[in-house]
Amino acid sequence: MSDVPRRAAQRTVKLASLPLGAAGRVAAGWGKRLTGQDADTVSADFSARTAEQLFAVLGQLKGGAMKFGQALSVFEAAVPDELAEPYRDALSKLQTTSQPMSESSVRRTLDEQLGSGWHARFAEFDESPTAAASIGQVHRAVWHDGREVAVKIQYPGADEALRSDLRQLMRFSRLFQSMLPGAEIKPLLRELQDRMVEELDYRTEADNQRSFATAFEGDELVHVPRVVASSPKVMVTEWVSGTPFAEIINNGSREQRDRAGELLGEFHFSSPARVGLLHADPHPGNFQLLPDGRLTVIDFGAVARLPEGLPRTLGRMLRLALEDRAEELMELLRSDRFVQTDSELRAEDVQAYLGPFVDPARTETFHFTRSWLQRQADRVGDLRSPEFRTGRSLNLPPDYLLIHRVTLGATGILCQLDAEVAAREIISNWQPGFVD
């Protein structure tokens, strides 16, 4: 493997194989049922084969395909348990795993980005990557001053692949939706398209990371590695070594799960106030629990710029929904464009739709579980339910889209962690409008 596969036709054929393969397995499943095989066995076989193909294709292509797969990984908590296990295993691999590029490609990229004398900047450099993800891979090295560092190198051709993939994936969004119920596919793809230019220039990511590192310098709860050097396609940061969230999700202790969840909630809600930015790539591969009990965060390519912090309107909405003040909630939603002025929605229907989403703030601590998230997905995703009709009538203004997606992603991780978190206190401390 030397480069990301670049040819659009080649990538389109591979991406098309996902929904076509799923359609073929559906047809085969009907055949098996007609011959008397158990329906549950057929469904389990379908899920396992689809998940296996999903990982193989998205992982091989990298680029936007891989980025899409990583973003999907946080939504597996909303998928019913009888379907989720194969997807859980396949999508978790996409958080940290991909085929690496060749050593010659690594050296060529470093020559181009850091100069032909780049070797002199390192005391040691391991040419075998320690991690490989959507648009780049990470190498462990020692900087010339003795610091252990992580060197992130962008795949040759990643920019072309990212743009091509996201265009093609949008064409297949409905079919992907049927493969992964509980995930909002089309809005997710639109949001990935909007952020891709920023993620392709590592200088922008380096600036974002410097801002976070400065704001959290010396913090007792959150650690952000410092940037050592950067160029458009190579970034060098301090090395961190902790327990990945994916490992905690799979076999962490109750103490680890609750600690990881508490820190993630604190980081998510406090960052806009402290940095003016919101980390916008919430998947378990970007978070680790350090031996000293702090959260460490990596990958700042995607951020939401919130110079005034989280919108006060969100805090007011949470408070009104929490206190069942349906008429005031409806008035606020109309004034801030969440409900069209000519809409015939009733206040009590909106309250019934939003009320369960604020459950985490109703008690001193809240246990985030997959079953709770599955209930919410079922409630608002069932075509026959009144909540589904209410949701279709609500509007999410463009300036809230990214905040919504990131909060949903963070909630998905909390449910994967099965964490008990003092969410109400965190929201009270950091969400404007919730208390004042």
Side-chain angles (χ1 to χ4, degrees):
M1 177 75 194
S2 59
D3 285 359
V4 174
R6 300 189 194 202
R7 298 175 63 178
Q10 176 189 5
R11 300 182 69 82
T12 299
V13 168
K14 286 185 176 292
L15 287 171
S17 72
L18 289 172
L20 289 175
R25 285 186 288 277
V26 168
W30 277 106
K32 290 178 180 179
R33 288 189 178 95
L34 289 173
T35 61
Q37 291 195 32
D38 178 73
D40 290 340
T41 301
V42 173
S43 295
D45 180 68
F46 169 83
S47 295
R49 290 177 180 272
T50 301
E52 182 181 357
Q53 187 191 21
L54 184 72
F55 170 65
V57 172
L58 297 185
Q60 181 184 35
L61 288 177
K62 300 190 181 74
M66 182 77 169
K67 180 64 70 176
F68 173 60
Q70 289 178 332
L72 284 179
S73 69
V74 300
F75 293 109
E76 63 84 4
V79 179
D81 285 334
E82 63 270 18
L83 299 176
E85 194 62 40
Y87 290 107
R88 189 171 299 155
D89 294 340
L91 289 172
S92 64
K93 292 177 184 177
L94 287 168
Q95 294 162 2
T96 56
T97 307
S98 176
Q99 297 178 8
M101 62 174 132
S102 69
E103 291 182 3
S104 60
S105 290
V106 169
R107 289 190 292 268
R108 184 172 62 249
T109 303
L110 289 170
D111 283 342
E112 294 170 352
Q113 298 297 310
L114 299 182
S116 58
W118 63 268
H119 281 285
R121 306 180 77 174
F122 297 94
E124 298 176 22
F125 185 89
D126 187 351
E127 293 194 354
S128 298
T130 59
S134 56
I135 62 172
Q137 65 187 37
V138 178
H139 292 253
R140 192 166 187 168
V142 178
W143 199 238
H144 60 80
D145 61 7
R147 281 181 290 174
E148 282 194 279
V149 293
V151 185
K152 185 157 76 168
I153 304 171
Q154 191 172 121
Y155 300 124
D159 49 355
E160 300 168 35
L162 192 61
R163 292 180 174 89
S164 172
D165 288 352
L166 292 174
R167 286 195 300 269
Q168 300 305 328
L169 286 165
M170 187 65 78
R171 292 174 55 197
F172 302 136
S173 59
R174 287 189 179 181
L175 289 168
F176 281 117
Q177 186 71 64
S178 67
M179 292 166 66
L180 282 164
E184 298 180 358
I185 302 298
K186 188 166 283 190
L188 175 61
L189 286 169
R190 287 200 195 98
E191 209 278 302
L192 288 175
Q193 285 180 320
D194 291 342
R195 317 307 301 183
M196 67 182 181
V197 175
E198 288 187 16
E199 291 203 51
L200 286 167
D201 190 338
Y202 285 171
R203 292 172 300 183
T204 301
E205 178 176 351
D207 288 342
N208 295 337
Q209 187 159 337
R210 288 186 183 101
S211 296
F212 275 89
T214 299
F216 285 98
E217 176 70 26
D219 191 78
E220 296 180 355
L221 301 178
V222 177
H223 168 69
V224 178
R226 287 195 168 276
V227 176
V228 177
S230 64
S231 68
K233 298 184 186 301
V234 171
M235 187 168 73
V236 183
T237 64
E238 294 173 335
W239 180 266
V240 290
S241 183
T243 305
F245 270 29
E247 184 176 325
I248 297 173
I249 287 168
N250 288 333
N251 51 36
S253 66
R254 168 50 49 199
E255 183 181 3
Q256 283 180 311
R257 292 175 183 278
D258 293 346
R259 178 67 175 176
E262 194 83 20
L263 294 175
L264 178 62
E266 181 78 16
F267 176 72
H268 171 74
F269 277 98
S270 69
S271 294
R274 298 179 64 171
V275 193
L277 300 171
L278 177 68
H279 183 279
D281 194 4
H283 71 79
N286 287 337
F287 304 101
Q288 299 176 25
L289 195 60
L290 294 176
D292 64 8
R294 290 182 298 166
L295 172 74
T296 191
V297 187
I298 60 174
D299 199 340
F300 294 85
V303 300
R305 303 190 183 284
L306 300 170
E308 298 180 3
L310 288 168
R312 181 172 295 275
T313 293
L314 291 181
R316 294 180 61 203
M317 287 170 54
L318 280 169
R319 172 57 62 183
L320 294 173
L322 188 66
E323 296 177 353
D324 296 325
R325 293 155 64 182
E327 293 296 337
E328 293 174 72
L329 176 61
M330 190 67 170
E331 183 180 345
L332 176 63
L333 293 173
R334 287 190 188 280
S335 66
D336 277 71
R337 300 167 290 129
F338 288 89
V339 175
Q340 302 296 339
T341 54
D342 59 350
S343 171
E344 297 181 358
L345 272 178
R346 299 182 306 171
E348 56 266 35
D349 292 335
V350 174
Q351 175 63 43
Y353 178 87
L354 293 177
F357 286 123
V358 300
D359 283 350
R362 294 187 187 278
T363 53
E364 186 175 341
T365 63
F366 183 79
H367 191 183
F368 288 87
T369 64
R370 285 186 167 95
S371 60
W372 174 77
L373 192 59
Q374 288 162 14
R375 287 196 301 274
Q376 304 314 313
D378 289 343
R379 182 175 64 85
V380 302
D382 186 346
L383 296 169
R384 300 162 298 179
S385 72
E387 286 92 344
F388 176 82
R389 292 190 294 274
T390 300
R392 291 292 298 270
S393 299
L394 291 172
N395 173 59
L396 191 61
D399 42 335
Y400 288 90
L401 281 171
L402 185 54
I403 300 172
H404 170 72
R405 202 267 293 172
V406 174
T407 302
L408 182 60
T411 302
I413 297 175
L414 293 177
C415 292
Q416 289 176 318
L417 286 166
D418 191 45
E420 188 163 343
V421 177
R424 184 169 66 188
E425 181 180 1
I426 293 172
I427 294 169
S428 298
N429 288 340
W430 296 109
Q431 174 61 65
F434 184 71
V435 175
D436 53 332

